[in-house]
Amino acid sequence: MTQTNSSSTRAPRYARVLSIAGSDSGGGAGIQADLKTFSALGCYGMTAITAITAQNTLGVRAIHGVPPEILQAQIDAVVEDIGVDAVKIGMLHAPEVVHVVADAIRRHRLPHVVLDPVMVATSGDRLTTGETVQALVGELFPLAELVTPNLDEAALLLGHPIEGTEALDDAARGLLALGARAALLKGGHLPGDDVVDVLAQAGGALTHLRSERIATHNGHGTGCTLSSAIAAHLALGLPLAQAVARARAYILGAIQAGAAVRTGHGHGPLNHGYAPVAQVVR
């Protein structure tokens, strides 16, 4: 099955981005952060919810997985009517959920897939099983244009810790060896005054993205927001390296703009709407 709304015979439309991810009732991460990001960057956001969570800035209280057939129905309904220009994938909690998403990408020929492999909580707790990780790597890595693990997630994928900035390059290449077409390894969990991320693309040189660390307690949802911003820029037509650079600039601005704001009693969210872009119609 191919997507409807062919670009060759259409009226003006929005840049359409689909988030396949879990819901964060606190609004700082998951599909809520994704939708805010899409809107802030001028895109039209849609969702297919994989799980419902009860959480706030202090932590997660409960998780309820959405049945795979309902997830499939959500994706099909959106794609067959509205169409999709890019996809962000977040939390996938079970192998059967991974299978549904991979099947949908193939059936609908979904473009510009950004996979944020949400596997480890900020506390360090694992959020998924080994079987699910194997399914992610085997089925979704080859289909994604980009994967965006943080250090803990990359360590889980590679089977060893990543210690120090000098280990980032080899780890990024290791993600490509697992089948990823491109990988953005986020180094924010390493200590130091600077944050270094590494973009690795198959057959290309490594790109190092460096920025000064911003002091804040409000870092909840940074991974969700970054991957969503990359997907939004891909939907707007930017090449991958430029989409990553633009998305990274957006998230740094959102962190800075929300650094001193108090939301809840724990780790608050970024300021997703600090510099909104008018919705793009093309």
Side-chain angles (χ1 to χ4, degrees):
M1 180 184 296
T2 59
Q3 289 195 59
T4 58
N5 297 1
S6 169
S7 60
S8 61
T9 57
R10 60 163 174 82
R13 59 167 176 77
Y14 304 120
R16 307 156 297 178
V17 193
L18 170 63
S19 170
I20 305 173
S23 168
D24 172 6
S25 56
I31 62 162
Q32 284 83 353
D34 297 344
L35 287 174
K36 293 174 186 178
T37 301
F38 300 153
S39 293
L41 296 176
C43 294
Y44 180 85
M46 303 161 289
T47 63
I49 301 173
T50 62
I52 300 168
T53 71
Q55 65 175 294
N56 53 29
T57 64
L58 297 173
V60 179
R61 297 185 180 185
I63 300 175
H64 175 70
V66 171
E69 62 272 18
I70 300 299
L71 174 60
Q72 178 180 315
Q74 293 178 80
I75 298 172
D76 290 348
V78 167
V79 176
E80 291 167 7
D81 176 39
I82 302 170
V84 173
D85 296 307
V87 181
K88 175 265 173 75
I89 301 173
M91 185 178 75
L92 304 178
H93 57 282
E96 55 269 26
V97 173
V98 176
H99 302 330
V100 165
V101 174
D103 176 68
I105 293 171
R106 289 189 292 262
R107 284 190 296 112
H108 296 296
R109 303 179 187 177
L110 298 180
H112 300 310
V113 176
V114 178
L115 172 62
D116 184 18
V118 180
M119 300 183 296
V120 182
T122 303
S123 63
D125 295 330
R126 285 186 59 166
L127 300 175
T128 189
T129 65
E131 186 180 0
T132 305
V133 173
Q134 289 179 353
L136 276 172
V137 173
E139 295 198 48
L140 288 179
F141 268 44
L143 297 175
E145 184 169 347
L146 178 71
V147 297
T148 63
N150 62 29
L151 286 181
D152 292 333
E153 290 155 353
L156 181 58
L157 288 164
L158 297 171
H160 60 78
I162 302 167
E163 299 176 344
T165 55
E166 65 279 358
L168 291 175
D169 287 3
D170 285 343
R173 294 190 184 98
L175 294 169
L176 297 184
L178 290 177
R181 292 155 53 190
L184 178 65
L185 178 57
K186 300 173 292 188
H189 289 178
L190 291 174
D193 294 333
D194 289 341
V195 173
V196 180
D197 302 331
V198 179
L199 174 63
Q201 296 176 264
L206 301 180
T207 302
H208 298 88
L209 302 159
R210 186 183 300 269
S211 58
E212 185 176 347
R213 189 179 301 276
I214 300 169
T216 180
H217 267 334
N218 298 328
H220 181 54
T222 53
C224 301
T225 301
L226 178 60
S227 55
S228 297
I230 295 170
H233 284 301
L234 290 173
L236 291 168
L238 296 185
L240 180 61
Q242 190 175 352
V244 169
R246 290 276 189 93
R248 200 171 182 275
Y250 165 75
I251 197 171
L252 290 172
I255 293 172
Q256 185 66 64
V261 178
R262 173 59 64 184
T263 305
H265 296 86
H267 293 284
L270 322 178
N271 184 343
H272 291 93
Y274 82 101
V277 176
Q279 194 158 55
V280 176
V281 179
R282 55 186 187 178

